[in-house]
Amino acid sequence: AISQQPFLDGSAAEDFQLKGSVPPRISRQRGSASEVVKVICAMCFVIVQSYWGYVYLIAPFAEGAANVYQSVCEGNLRFTYMLHPVTDTPLFAQADHSTAELVSMRCFYRAQYEMVRLRAGLPPQSFPPNDTLAGLVNGSSELCKSSFGQSS
């Protein structure tokens, strides 16, 4: 403070001292009724806009995201399939990395074998005979016959 001594002479030192009371910048006056009404209206506007934003913007978005999650992430999604190049029928197989994968693949090939037996007109070995299923597989069912060009 020796270096600052020449700057703080008698008149400068008095500038840094507060003498008396300093008038407050903001006076506390009672708010008029119109200001209170304006504040209440502004608060109501914010509340209504927040509610509107939630109901019409956020809630539908959250519901859509929940639907997408349910469609994509729930259910048995651990399977694969391919379409047979000749018959255009789907062939399914489980896509698990577990010990049950061998059982799933055995079921997959067993189902293929049973479809070939049904197509050939032989009875199935893994389930009771079903005429509807056999007719659909070998093409003899009424559902497989085209009604195109026929008049009833």
Side-chain angles (χ1 to χ4, degrees):
I2 296 175
S3 64
Q4 295 177 352
Q5 192 71 19
F7 296 111
L8 294 176
D9 58 357
S11 64
E14 292 176 8
D15 290 341
F16 291 107
Q17 295 176 2
L18 297 175
K19 295 180 182 176
S21 63
V22 176
R25 291 185 179 177
I26 301 173
S27 62
R28 294 186 179 248
Q29 298 174 356
R30 292 190 73 177
S32 64
S34 66
E35 289 179 8
V36 172
V37 170
K38 287 179 186 178
V39 170
I40 291 173
C41 288
M43 289 173 48
C44 289
F45 177 77
V46 169
I47 291 169
V48 168
Q49 289 298 316
S50 298
Y51 177 76
W52 182 88
Y54 175 77
V55 169
Y56 292 104
L57 298 175
I58 295 173
F61 178 78
E63 184 179 332
N67 289 339
V68 168
Y69 178 82
Q70 182 180 7
S71 298
V72 172
C73 300
E74 292 182 358
N76 181 10
L77 302 177
R78 309 232 2 122
F79 70 91
T80 183
Y81 78 98
M82 66 176 236
L83 294 177
H84 190 277
V86 177
T87 61
D88 204 29
T89 57
L91 305 173
F92 294 95
Q94 283 298 116
D96 292 338
H97 296 290
S98 64
T99 55
E101 184 176 358
L102 294 174
V103 174
S104 297
M105 292 305 291
R106 186 174 18 180
C107 291
F108 171 72
Y109 288 115
R110 184 64 150 188
Q112 278 186 328
Y113 177 72
E114 292 295 342
M115 286 182 70
V116 171
R117 286 186 60 87
L118 288 173
R119 177 66 179 97
L122 300 173
Q125 293 179 341
S126 302
F127 56 90
N130 183 327
D131 293 334
T132 305
L133 183 60
L136 290 172
V137 171
N138 65 23
S140 64
S141 172
E142 290 295 323
L143 298 172
C144 299
K145 295 182 179 170
S146 173
S147 62
F148 183 73
Q150 296 177 357
S151 60
S152 351

